[in-house]
Amino acid sequence: MLHLRLITPPDRTDDVVDLIEGTVGTTHLAVLPGAARNPAGDVVMCDVAREAGDELIGGLRGLGIDESGSIAVETIDLSLSRRAEEAADDAPGEGADAVLWEQLADATHEESTLSVTYVAFITLATMIAACGVVLDNAILIVGAMAVGPEFGPLAGFCTALVRRAPRLALRSLIALLVGFAAAMAVTVGFSYLMDAMDLFTHDALKAERPNTNFIYRPDWFSFVVAVLAGVAGTLSLTSAKSGALVGVAISVTTVPAAANAAVAFSYDEYKQAWGSTEQLLLNLLGIILAGTLTLLAQKFFWAAQRERTAKSARV
Protein backbone atom coordinates (compact mmCIF):
# COMPACT_ATOMS: atom_id res chain seq x y z
CA MET A 1 0.00 0.00 0.00
CA LEU A 2 0.95 3.62 -0.59
CA HIS A 3 0.10 6.60 1.59
CA LEU A 4 -0.67 9.90 -0.16
CA ARG A 5 -0.54 13.25 1.63
CA LEU A 6 -1.89 16.09 -0.46
CA ILE A 7 -2.11 19.82 -0.03
CA THR A 8 -4.93 21.09 -2.22
CA PRO A 9 -6.36 24.56 -2.91
CA PRO A 10 -9.82 24.78 -1.26
CA ASP A 11 -11.53 25.19 -4.63
CA ARG A 12 -10.09 21.88 -5.87
CA THR A 13 -10.52 19.75 -2.76
CA ASP A 14 -13.91 18.39 -3.88
CA ASP A 15 -12.45 17.36 -7.25
CA VAL A 16 -9.58 15.63 -5.50
CA VAL A 17 -11.93 13.78 -3.14
CA ASP A 18 -14.12 12.71 -6.06
CA LEU A 19 -11.05 11.42 -7.90
CA ILE A 20 -9.86 9.43 -4.89
CA GLU A 21 -13.29 7.96 -4.20
CA GLY A 22 -13.66 7.05 -7.88
CA THR A 23 -10.31 5.23 -8.03
CA VAL A 24 -10.51 1.52 -7.34
CA GLY A 25 -8.09 0.45 -4.62
CA THR A 26 -8.24 3.54 -2.36
CA THR A 27 -9.21 3.69 1.31
CA HIS A 28 -8.61 5.57 4.58
CA LEU A 29 -9.60 8.92 3.08
CA ALA A 30 -9.24 11.90 5.45
CA VAL A 31 -9.82 15.61 4.75
CA LEU A 32 -8.50 18.37 7.02
CA PRO A 33 -9.95 21.69 5.81
CA GLY A 34 -7.59 24.64 6.14
CA ALA A 35 -4.87 22.59 7.88
CA ALA A 36 -2.07 23.54 5.50
CA ARG A 37 -0.16 26.79 5.94
CA ASN A 38 2.62 26.72 3.33
CA PRO A 39 1.17 26.52 0.80
CA ALA A 40 -2.19 27.41 2.28
CA GLY A 41 -4.98 24.96 1.63
CA ASP A 42 -6.62 21.73 2.71
CA VAL A 43 -4.80 18.54 3.65
CA VAL A 44 -6.13 15.37 2.04
CA MET A 45 -4.74 11.96 2.99
CA CYS A 46 -5.53 8.48 1.74
CA ASP A 47 -4.08 5.03 1.21
CA VAL A 48 -4.04 3.38 -2.18
CA ALA A 49 -3.01 -0.04 -3.44
CA ARG A 50 0.31 0.14 -5.26
CA GLU A 51 -1.24 -1.23 -8.45
CA ALA A 52 -3.68 1.70 -8.52
CA GLY A 53 -1.15 4.31 -7.45
CA ASP A 54 0.06 5.36 -10.90
CA GLU A 55 -3.48 6.01 -12.12
CA LEU A 56 -4.32 8.11 -9.05
CA ILE A 57 -1.10 10.12 -9.17
CA GLY A 58 -1.64 10.77 -12.86
CA GLY A 59 -5.16 12.01 -12.14
CA LEU A 60 -3.91 14.32 -9.40
CA ARG A 61 -1.32 15.79 -11.71
CA GLY A 62 -4.05 16.23 -14.29
CA LEU A 63 -5.86 18.41 -11.75
CA GLY A 64 -2.69 20.45 -11.30
CA ILE A 65 -2.20 19.55 -7.64
CA ASP A 66 1.56 19.19 -8.15
CA GLU A 67 1.72 22.84 -9.26
CA SER A 68 -0.85 24.49 -7.01
CA GLY A 69 -0.29 22.30 -3.95
CA SER A 70 1.69 19.22 -3.08
CA ILE A 71 1.67 15.45 -3.69
CA ALA A 72 3.72 13.34 -1.26
CA VAL A 73 3.85 9.55 -1.60
CA GLU A 74 5.16 7.12 1.01
CA THR A 75 5.33 3.33 1.05
CA ILE A 76 3.46 1.70 3.93
CA ASP A 77 5.52 -1.13 5.39
CA LEU A 78 2.69 -2.44 7.58
CA SER A 79 -1.03 -1.75 7.48
CA LEU A 80 -3.34 -3.70 9.80
CA SER A 81 -6.71 -2.92 8.28
CA ARG A 82 -9.49 -4.96 6.75
CA ARG A 83 -10.36 -2.01 4.52
CA ALA A 84 -6.80 -1.89 3.23
CA GLU A 85 -6.92 -5.59 2.39
CA GLU A 86 -10.20 -5.12 0.54
CA ALA A 87 -8.78 -2.15 -1.38
CA ALA A 88 -5.75 -4.20 -2.44
CA ASP A 89 -8.03 -7.05 -3.55
CA ASP A 90 -10.23 -4.67 -5.57
CA ALA A 91 -7.32 -3.08 -7.42
CA PRO A 92 -6.42 -4.83 -10.69
CA GLY A 93 -3.18 -6.78 -10.96
CA GLU A 94 -0.52 -7.43 -8.36
CA GLY A 95 1.28 -4.76 -6.38
CA ALA A 96 4.69 -6.32 -7.06
CA ASP A 97 4.10 -5.91 -10.81
CA ALA A 98 2.92 -2.30 -10.62
CA VAL A 99 5.02 0.52 -12.05
CA LEU A 100 4.88 3.98 -10.50
CA TRP A 101 6.17 5.99 -13.42
CA GLU A 102 6.41 9.26 -11.51
CA GLN A 103 8.39 7.58 -8.74
CA LEU A 104 10.65 5.89 -11.29
CA ALA A 105 11.26 9.17 -13.11
CA ASP A 106 12.08 10.94 -9.84
CA ALA A 107 14.44 8.17 -8.68
CA THR A 108 16.30 7.93 -11.98
CA HIS A 109 16.52 11.73 -12.17
CA GLU A 110 18.39 11.78 -8.88
CA GLU A 111 20.58 8.76 -9.67
CA SER A 112 21.50 10.02 -13.14
CA THR A 113 22.71 13.46 -12.09
CA LEU A 114 26.43 14.10 -12.50
CA SER A 115 27.67 14.99 -9.03
CA VAL A 116 30.89 14.91 -7.04
CA THR A 117 29.62 11.91 -5.08
CA TYR A 118 28.76 9.99 -8.26
CA VAL A 119 32.19 10.68 -9.80
CA ALA A 120 33.88 9.75 -6.52
CA PHE A 121 32.09 6.40 -6.31
CA ILE A 122 32.75 5.40 -9.92
CA THR A 123 36.39 6.49 -9.64
CA LEU A 124 36.95 4.55 -6.43
CA ALA A 125 35.25 1.50 -7.94
CA THR A 126 37.48 1.72 -11.02
CA MET A 127 40.65 1.98 -8.93
CA ILE A 128 39.59 -1.01 -6.83
CA ALA A 129 38.98 -2.94 -10.04
CA ALA A 130 42.42 -1.87 -11.30
CA CYS A 131 43.97 -3.56 -8.28
CA GLY A 132 41.84 -6.60 -9.00
CA VAL A 133 42.94 -6.98 -12.62
CA VAL A 134 46.66 -6.58 -11.84
CA LEU A 135 46.47 -9.02 -8.92
CA ASP A 136 44.06 -11.30 -10.83
CA ASN A 137 41.84 -11.17 -7.75
CA ALA A 138 38.18 -12.00 -8.39
CA ILE A 139 37.12 -10.76 -4.93
CA LEU A 140 38.35 -7.25 -5.68
CA ILE A 141 36.57 -7.34 -9.04
CA VAL A 142 33.29 -8.29 -7.37
CA GLY A 143 33.77 -5.57 -4.77
CA ALA A 144 34.39 -2.97 -7.45
CA MET A 145 31.23 -4.06 -9.29
CA ALA A 146 29.18 -3.61 -6.12
CA VAL A 147 30.60 -0.12 -5.47
CA GLY A 148 30.05 1.16 -9.02
CA PRO A 149 27.00 3.50 -9.35
CA GLU A 150 26.69 3.33 -13.14
CA PHE A 151 23.31 1.54 -13.21
CA GLY A 152 21.59 4.76 -12.09
CA PRO A 153 22.37 6.71 -15.28
CA LEU A 154 21.70 3.62 -17.38
CA ALA A 155 18.23 3.27 -15.83
CA GLY A 156 17.69 6.99 -16.27
CA PHE A 157 18.55 6.77 -19.97
CA CYS A 158 16.14 3.83 -20.45
CA THR A 159 13.37 5.70 -18.62
CA ALA A 160 14.01 8.80 -20.71
CA LEU A 161 13.70 6.82 -23.95
CA VAL A 162 10.38 5.28 -22.90
CA ARG A 163 8.93 8.52 -21.54
CA ARG A 164 10.41 10.62 -24.35
CA ALA A 165 12.22 12.91 -21.95
CA PRO A 166 15.20 14.39 -23.83
CA ARG A 167 16.51 16.34 -20.81
CA LEU A 168 16.69 13.20 -18.67
CA ALA A 169 18.32 11.32 -21.55
CA LEU A 170 20.97 14.02 -21.96
CA ARG A 171 21.59 14.21 -18.22
CA SER A 172 22.01 10.44 -17.99
CA LEU A 173 24.29 10.30 -21.01
CA ILE A 174 26.50 13.06 -19.62
CA ALA A 175 26.72 11.28 -16.26
CA LEU A 176 27.77 8.04 -17.99
CA LEU A 177 30.33 9.54 -20.35
CA VAL A 178 31.87 12.06 -17.98
CA GLY A 179 31.81 9.62 -15.07
CA PHE A 180 33.63 6.85 -16.94
CA ALA A 181 36.02 9.29 -18.61
CA ALA A 182 36.99 10.86 -15.28
CA ALA A 183 37.31 7.47 -13.57
CA MET A 184 39.52 6.06 -16.33
CA ALA A 185 41.71 9.18 -16.42
CA VAL A 186 42.27 9.07 -12.67
CA THR A 187 42.92 5.33 -12.83
CA VAL A 188 45.64 5.87 -15.45
CA GLY A 189 47.37 8.22 -13.01
CA PHE A 190 46.75 5.74 -10.19
CA SER A 191 48.39 3.03 -12.30
CA TYR A 192 51.48 5.18 -12.88
CA LEU A 193 51.69 5.81 -9.14
CA MET A 194 51.32 2.13 -8.25
CA ASP A 195 53.97 1.24 -10.83
CA ALA A 196 56.38 3.79 -9.34
CA MET A 197 55.84 2.12 -5.97
CA ASP A 198 56.49 -1.33 -7.56
CA LEU A 199 52.96 -2.45 -6.67
CA PHE A 200 51.82 -2.71 -10.31
CA THR A 201 54.02 -4.35 -12.94
CA HIS A 202 53.80 -4.78 -16.68
CA ASP A 203 54.44 -8.51 -16.33
CA ALA A 204 51.47 -8.90 -13.98
CA LEU A 205 49.18 -7.25 -16.52
CA LYS A 206 50.47 -9.41 -19.40
CA ALA A 207 50.21 -12.65 -17.41
CA GLU A 208 47.54 -15.22 -18.24
CA ARG A 209 45.29 -14.05 -15.37
CA PRO A 210 42.81 -16.94 -15.39
CA ASN A 211 40.39 -15.17 -13.03
CA THR A 212 40.15 -11.86 -14.86
CA ASN A 213 41.23 -12.32 -18.49
CA PHE A 214 37.57 -12.46 -19.54
CA ILE A 215 37.42 -8.70 -18.98
CA TYR A 216 39.37 -7.90 -22.14
CA ARG A 217 38.02 -10.86 -24.13
CA PRO A 218 34.38 -10.01 -24.83
CA ASP A 219 32.10 -12.58 -26.45
CA TRP A 220 28.39 -13.22 -26.90
CA PHE A 221 28.06 -14.33 -23.29
CA SER A 222 29.06 -10.82 -22.25
CA PHE A 223 26.13 -9.40 -24.18
CA VAL A 224 23.69 -12.06 -22.97
CA VAL A 225 24.61 -11.50 -19.32
CA ALA A 226 24.30 -7.72 -19.79
CA VAL A 227 20.82 -8.15 -21.28
CA LEU A 228 19.70 -10.40 -18.42
CA ALA A 229 21.17 -7.98 -15.87
CA GLY A 230 19.41 -5.08 -17.56
CA VAL A 231 16.06 -6.84 -17.27
CA ALA A 232 16.67 -7.77 -13.63
CA GLY A 233 17.86 -4.29 -12.71
CA THR A 234 14.88 -2.60 -14.34
CA LEU A 235 12.44 -4.94 -12.62
CA SER A 236 14.13 -4.30 -9.27
CA LEU A 237 13.63 -0.55 -9.72
CA THR A 238 10.02 -0.69 -10.87
CA SER A 239 8.97 -3.21 -8.24
CA ALA A 240 10.82 -1.42 -5.40
CA LYS A 241 12.96 -4.53 -4.78
CA SER A 242 16.18 -2.54 -4.54
CA GLY A 243 18.06 -5.42 -2.94
CA ALA A 244 18.26 -7.11 -6.32
CA LEU A 245 20.38 -4.23 -7.63
CA VAL A 246 23.42 -5.57 -5.78
CA GLY A 247 23.15 -8.82 -7.74
CA VAL A 248 22.79 -6.84 -10.95
CA ALA A 249 25.87 -4.76 -10.15
CA ILE A 250 28.11 -7.79 -9.68
CA SER A 251 26.91 -9.55 -12.84
CA VAL A 252 28.15 -7.03 -15.42
CA THR A 253 31.73 -5.99 -16.14
CA THR A 254 31.37 -2.27 -16.89
CA VAL A 255 33.64 -0.96 -14.12
CA PRO A 256 36.25 -3.77 -14.40
CA ALA A 257 36.39 -3.24 -18.16
CA ALA A 258 37.00 0.48 -17.68
CA ALA A 259 39.69 -0.29 -15.11
CA ASN A 260 41.46 -2.84 -17.31
CA ALA A 261 41.39 -0.42 -20.24
CA ALA A 262 42.95 2.32 -18.09
CA VAL A 263 45.73 0.10 -16.69
CA ALA A 264 46.45 -1.41 -20.11
CA PHE A 265 46.66 2.07 -21.63
CA SER A 266 49.17 3.14 -18.99
CA TYR A 267 51.42 0.23 -20.05
CA ASP A 268 50.85 0.78 -23.80
CA GLU A 269 48.99 -2.54 -24.02
CA TYR A 270 46.58 -1.20 -26.62
CA LYS A 271 45.18 -4.60 -27.60
CA GLN A 272 44.02 -5.20 -24.04
CA ALA A 273 42.78 -1.63 -23.80
CA TRP A 274 40.68 -2.01 -26.96
CA GLY A 275 39.31 -5.40 -25.88
CA SER A 276 38.31 -3.93 -22.51
CA THR A 277 36.67 -0.97 -24.23
CA GLU A 278 34.67 -3.36 -26.41
CA GLN A 279 33.58 -5.21 -23.25
CA LEU A 280 32.49 -1.92 -21.67
CA LEU A 281 30.49 -0.79 -24.71
CA LEU A 282 28.93 -4.24 -25.14
CA ASN A 283 27.72 -4.26 -21.55
CA LEU A 284 26.35 -0.72 -21.75
CA LEU A 285 24.50 -1.53 -24.98
CA GLY A 286 23.02 -4.74 -23.56
CA ILE A 287 21.77 -3.05 -20.38
CA ILE A 288 20.23 -0.09 -22.25
CA LEU A 289 18.52 -2.34 -24.78
CA ALA A 290 17.15 -4.71 -22.15
CA GLY A 291 16.09 -1.94 -19.78
CA THR A 292 14.23 -0.04 -22.48
CA LEU A 293 12.43 -3.13 -23.78
CA THR A 294 11.49 -4.14 -20.22
CA LEU A 295 9.96 -0.73 -19.50
CA LEU A 296 8.07 -0.81 -22.81
CA ALA A 297 6.73 -4.28 -21.99
CA GLN A 298 5.61 -3.13 -18.54
CA LYS A 299 3.98 -0.05 -20.02
CA PHE A 300 2.08 -2.19 -22.53
CA PHE A 301 1.08 -4.71 -19.86
CA TRP A 302 -0.41 -2.07 -17.57
CA ALA A 303 -2.18 -0.33 -20.43
CA ALA A 304 -3.81 -3.65 -21.35
CA GLN A 305 -4.63 -4.27 -17.67
CA ARG A 306 -6.38 -0.90 -17.39
CA GLU A 307 -8.32 -1.55 -20.57
CA ARG A 308 -9.58 -4.90 -19.24
CA THR A 309 -10.51 -3.26 -15.94
CA ALA A 310 -12.41 -0.50 -17.73
CA LYS A 311 -14.30 -3.03 -19.83
CA SER A 312 -15.23 -5.04 -16.74
CA ALA A 313 -16.49 -1.89 -15.02
CA ARG A 314 -18.66 -0.99 -18.00
CA VAL A 315 -20.10 -4.49 -18.08
Side-chain angles (χ1 to χ4, degrees):
M1 295 290 290
L2 303 172
H3 177 70
L4 271 65
R5 186 183 70 254
L6 315 172
I7 297 178
T8 65
D11 60 338
R12 297 189 184 180
T13 300
D14 290 340
D15 294 334
V16 169
V17 171
D18 290 341
L19 174 64
I20 294 173
E21 291 179 336
T23 302
V24 177
T26 59
T27 187
H28 302 157
L29 174 62
V31 180
L32 305 176
R37 293 293 181 267
N38 185 19
D42 302 332
V43 174
V44 180
M45 295 180 289
C46 71
D47 295 341
V48 59
R50 181 181 173 84
E51 51 269 40
D54 188 62
E55 178 183 358
L56 179 56
I57 294 171
L60 291 170
R61 295 198 66 182
L63 293 174
I65 303 304
D66 56 324
E67 297 179 358
S68 59
S70 169
I71 303 174
V73 183
E74 301 173 342
T75 300
I76 300 176
D77 294 327
L78 176 64
S79 179
L80 302 178
S81 168
R82 183 184 297 272
R83 294 293 298 274
E85 294 177 359
E86 293 173 352
D89 292 338
D90 292 339
E94 295 293 332
D97 298 331
V99 180
L100 296 177
W101 291 100
E102 297 299 334
Q103 184 184 56
L104 177 63
D106 183 70
T108 52
H109 179 279
E110 180 180 353
E111 294 294 329
S112 61
T113 300
L114 183 65
S115 63
V116 174
T117 301
Y118 170 80
V119 174
F121 268 113
I122 196 168
T123 300
L124 290 170
T126 306
M127 289 193 293
I128 292 172
C131 296
V133 297
V134 173
L135 297 175
D136 193 34
N137 189 317
I139 295 177
L140 290 177
I141 295 297
V142 172
M145 291 176 175
V147 172
E150 72 279 6
F151 192 80
L154 288 169
F157 190 74
C158 296
T159 304
L161 292 178
V162 174
R163 293 177 64 86
R164 300 178 182 178
R167 287 188 178 182
L168 178 58
L170 181 61
R171 181 183 295 108
S172 302
L173 190 60
I174 290 175
L176 275 175
L177 296 180
V178 175
F180 272 113
M184 293 172 72
V186 173
T187 303
V188 170
F190 175 70
S191 180
Y192 286 138
L193 175 63
M194 296 293 280
D195 180 76
M197 298 171 62
D198 291 328
L199 296 176
F200 281 9
T201 64
H202 195 178
D203 291 338
L205 181 70
K206 292 195 302 180
E208 182 59 27
R209 291 163 47 197
N211 293 321
T212 59
N213 61 23
F214 68 93
I215 294 173
Y216 59 89
R217 296 175 179 174
D219 53 23
W220 279 106
F221 278 106
S222 302
F223 184 74
V224 170
V225 171
V227 168
L228 296 176
V231 174
T234 304
L235 290 175
S236 71
L237 285 177
T238 56
S239 64
K241 295 185 181 297
S242 58
L245 280 177
V246 177
V248 173
I250 62 177
S251 62
V252 291
T253 53
T254 49
V255 166
N260 200 93
V263 176
F265 182 83
S266 69
Y267 283 112
D268 297 330
E269 286 288 336
Y270 299 120
K271 185 176 181 180
Q272 269 200 45
W274 177 245
S276 302
T277 303
E278 286 184 329
Q279 180 78 271
L280 173 62
L281 295 176
L282 200 61
N283 276 267
L284 294 177
L285 176 62
I287 293 173
I288 290 174
L289 179 63
T292 303
L293 292 178
T294 300
L295 289 175
L296 287 172
Q298 290 179 296
K299 187 176 182 180
F300 174 80
F301 171 80
W302 277 103
Q305 182 72 45
R306 286 183 179 180
E307 182 64 25
R308 287 195 295 268
T309 303
K311 287 182 179 179
S312 300
R314 288 195 295 269
V315 172

